[in-house]
């Protein structure tokens, strides 16, 4: 067999909490993104349900190596934390992270990504979405606990995320603001008051793509179109591809 080089597929890494972890479900925003990028790059789900930014910055070096940055071949990273950080300290101290620390954690995540060969212009921060308190309170009651999140507090964390992204030189998708723009009914975007509904996933997919597309537009279609394969000598088409 002829010598050939292994194809290193570029990657888009989705790093976040449960809203990212569940994004590969049918009609999820991660699945939609992966579908758009098929044969161009791998979309890697690194969503960690229940995690906050404090835990995220600790585990990130285990998910992305900074030792061989050139080999990571990362086209873009989304950083989507805040929904758990914004938990009320007195109601949910395990997940709560103070606002100032949250902001610093995002900046530390950005600095690590830079060290791992992912500069700020390849990072897209995503703010937590709004909270529909009546619906989420029902979920809390079912779990035997009081309402542990407020929409106004989520808004403070969203604002901190926007500011941190600006200071890092990265783009940001401000879901908290966009989903409530012009007084629209944002509840349709949420399945339980906190997590995304199918409509919410479509909303994220659409708005994220507007930021992500320019970062992946240069990526070529990997391996030849089937109609371009030389049937008399397929090796010449398939093994010479770089």
């Amino acid at each position: 067999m002829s010598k050939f080089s292994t194809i290193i597929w570029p990657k888009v890494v989705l790093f976040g909490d449960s809203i990212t972890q569940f994004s590969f479900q049918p009609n999820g925003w991660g699945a939609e993104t992966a579908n758009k990028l098929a044969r161009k790059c791998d979309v890697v789900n690194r969503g960690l349900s229940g995690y906050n930014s404090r835990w995220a910055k600790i585990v990130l070096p285990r998910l992305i190596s900074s030792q061989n940055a050139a080999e990571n071949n990362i086209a873009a990273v989304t950083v989507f934390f805040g929904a758990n950080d914004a938990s009320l300290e007195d109601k949910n101290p395990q997940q709560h992270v103070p606002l100032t620390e949250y902001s610093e954690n995002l900046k530390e995540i950005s600095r690590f990504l830079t060290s791992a060969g992912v500069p700020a212009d390849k990072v897209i921060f995503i703010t937590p979405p709004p909270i529909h308190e009546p619906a989420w309170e029902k979920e809390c009651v079912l779990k035997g606990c009081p309402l542990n999140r407020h929409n106004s507090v989520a808004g403070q964390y969203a604002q901190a995320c926007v500011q941190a992204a600006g200071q890092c030189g990265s783009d940001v998708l401000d879901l908290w603001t966009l989903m409530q723009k012009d007084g629209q009914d944002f509840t349709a975007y949420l399945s339980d008051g906190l997590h995304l509904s199918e409509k919410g996933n479509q909303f994220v997919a659409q708005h994220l793509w507007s930021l992500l597309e320019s970062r992946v537009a240069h990526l070529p279609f990997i391996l030849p179109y089937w109609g371009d394969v030389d049937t008399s000598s397929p090796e010449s088409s398939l093994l010479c591809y770089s």
Side-chain angles (χ1 to χ4, degrees):
M1 181 177 288
S2 303
K3 292 183 178 180
F4 59 91
S5 59
T6 301
I7 300 170
I8 306 299
W9 290 57
K11 293 188 289 288
V12 171
V13 180
L14 311 182
F15 185 42
D17 53 33
S18 61
I19 302 177
T20 296
Q21 180 176 321
F22 302 146
S23 72
F24 272 34
Q25 292 179 344
N27 301 309
W29 63 270
E32 176 70 19
T33 302
N35 183 54
K36 286 184 175 180
L37 292 174
R39 290 280 292 273
K40 285 198 166 187
C41 69
D42 288 335
V43 177
V44 182
N45 187 330
R46 292 294 178 262
L48 303 164
S49 178
Y51 275 51
N52 55 33
S53 65
R54 180 185 295 161
W55 303 339
K57 73 173 184 181
I58 294 172
V59 301
L60 183 56
R62 301 190 67 189
L63 306 179
I64 298 175
S65 173
S66 61
Q67 300 304 311
N68 299 296
E71 296 180 6
N72 287 327
N73 199 17
I74 294 175
V77 175
T78 60
V79 179
F80 193 172
F81 290 95
N84 296 316
D85 300 70
S87 297
L88 303 178
E89 183 176 11
D90 60 334
K91 300 296 194 300
N92 186 2
Q94 185 176 7
Q95 291 180 302
H96 169 78
V97 172
L99 189 62
T100 302
E101 182 190 341
Y102 168 69
S103 178
E104 289 304 314
N105 289 341
L106 295 183
K107 295 174 191 176
E108 188 166 338
I109 287 170
S110 177
R111 287 192 291 270
F112 175 81
L113 289 172
T114 298
S115 74
V118 187
D121 62 355
K122 290 187 177 182
V123 178
I124 301 171
F125 286 95
I126 306 176
T127 77
I131 304 289
H132 182 224
E133 294 172 24
W136 184 243
E137 185 171 22
K138 291 179 181 179
E139 296 294 320
C140 291
V141 169
L142 290 173
K143 297 174 184 176
C145 62
L147 177 66
N148 57 22
R149 288 167 172 81
H150 289 163
N151 190 38
S152 60
V153 176
Q156 294 172 13
Y157 282 72
Q159 184 178 16
C161 179
V162 170
Q163 292 174 346
Q167 292 167 358
C168 293
S170 296
D171 279 339
V172 62
L173 174 52
D174 185 358
L175 292 181
W176 192 88
T177 298
L178 287 173
M179 286 183 168
Q180 299 179 93
K181 190 176 181 181
D182 299 324
Q184 65 180 303
D185 178 14
F186 68 87
T187 63
Y189 296 129
L190 305 171
S191 63
D192 57 5
L194 172 64
H195 301 96
L196 299 176
S197 64
E198 183 172 333
K199 184 176 180 180
N201 273 280
Q202 292 172 352
F203 184 95
V204 174
Q206 175 188 346
H207 286 84
L208 176 60
W209 185 248
S210 68
L211 296 174
L212 185 60
E213 186 174 16
S214 63
R215 292 166 170 81
V216 296
H218 67 285
L219 297 177
F221 196 65
I222 296 176
L223 290 171
Y225 173 66
W226 72 268
D228 294 333
V229 175
D230 183 349
T231 56
S232 64
S233 177
E235 290 86 356
S236 64
S237 301
L238 302 176
L239 297 183
C240 295
Y241 175 90
S242 60

